Amino acid sequence: MDQLLQHLRNFYQLSEAAEQVLPEYFTKLVLPKNEFLITQGKICRHLYFLEQGCLRGYYDLEEKEITHWFGFENDFVTSFHSFITQQPAVENIQLVEGCVLWAISKDSLFNLFNQHHEIERLVRIAYEKYYIRLEERFVNARFKTATERYQDLLEQTPHIIDRIPLGYIAAYLGISQETLSRIRGKL
């Protein structure tokens, strides 16, 4: 919980009262590699803080898994569309490594909003950061070559290469594993 509180302080300084009640609302989860946080067709009812480990969000498309994001330490993760709308998720979230997460239900989060309005502001800031990452991902996919996307990955998040299987990275970049191998060979 200390890591979560420290991370929240980087977004926005909460009152002491708000910080003191947060542990009452979060549940610690320790899950093994390959476990799913959410599967397609299920409603996502929790927002998670990833304390340790990594995971991926992916879609099933024509019997292929299309990885569209990765989560690492200090990320907030969820199936955002499902969590916000309470509609069934169209994505799967799978642990790539064993993970330690802190979970809060949507109902609990809204209770916190009502009790401590600064938490609502904090969550809005977290959503803004998520939206910016989503827009950057969209722009990269539309306007950059596969080689440029891979180079950006190496520059911005080089730890991915050590922690994520190359097949997932290729799917994330929107290329085949063979194309990724060729790009890596040239660099």
Side-chain angles (χ1 to χ4, degrees), residues 101 128 133:
L101 302 117
E128 287 171 356
R133 284 176 51 194

Side-chain angles (χ1 to χ4, degrees), residues 7 10 21 34 42-43 56 63 100 118 132 138 145 149 153 157 180-181 185:
H7 185 68
N10 292 334
V21 299
N34 295 324
K42 305 282 186 195
I43 295 174
R56 69 181 180 121
E63 298 186 27
V100 176
E118 74 259 34
I132 289 167
F138 174 77
T145 67
R149 292 193 304 271
L153 183 86
T157 52
L180 179 58
S181 293

Side-chain angles (χ1 to χ4, degrees), residues 46-70:
H46 291 86
L47 175 67
Y48 302 91
F49 174 75
L50 182 55
E51 180 177 299
Q52 179 184 331
C54 69
L55 44 77
R56 69 181 180 121
Y58 73 91
Y59 297 99
D60 288 315
L61 181 66
E62 298 173 5
E63 298 186 27
K64 285 186 178 179
E65 294 180 356
I66 308 299
T67 299
H68 67 104
W69 61 270
F70 298 109

Side-chain angles (χ1 to χ4, degrees), residues 99-110:
C99 291
V100 176
L101 302 117
W102 291 90
I104 186 169
S105 71
K106 186 171 185 174
D107 291 341
S108 292
L109 188 60
F110 276 68

Side-chain angles (χ1 to χ4, degrees), residues 9-23:
R9 289 179 194 119
N10 292 334
F11 283 114
Y12 185 76
Q13 188 61 47
L14 295 174
S15 67
E16 187 174 319
E19 279 195 20
Q20 287 180 347
V21 299
L22 280 175

Side-chain angles (χ1 to χ4, degrees), residues 10 17-18 23 30 47-48 50 71 112-113 123 141 143 147 153 160 176-177 179 183:
N10 292 334
V30 179
L47 175 67
Y48 302 91
L50 182 55
L112 277 172
F113 289 170
V123 171
F143 302 111
T147 301
L153 183 86
I160 285 178
S176 69
Q177 205 164 341
T179 301
I183 290 169

Side-chain angles (χ1 to χ4, degrees), residues 139-170:
V139 169
N140 285 342
R142 297 279 295 172
F143 302 111
K144 292 191 176 182
T145 67
T147 301
E148 290 170 330
R149 292 193 304 271
Y150 182 69
Q151 287 174 322
D152 286 350
L153 183 86
L154 290 176
E155 290 171 15
Q156 296 170 11
T157 52
H159 63 279
I160 285 178
I161 302 301
D162 297 328
R163 296 177 71 183
I164 302 291
L166 291 179
Y168 295 165
I169 293 172

Side-chain angles (χ1 to χ4, degrees), residues 80-96:
F80 276 97
H81 185 270
S82 179
F83 180 72
I84 292 167
T85 66
Q86 293 297 280
Q87 298 294 314
V90 296
E91 69 181 321
N92 302 286
I93 301 176
Q94 182 183 31
L95 281 62
V96 177

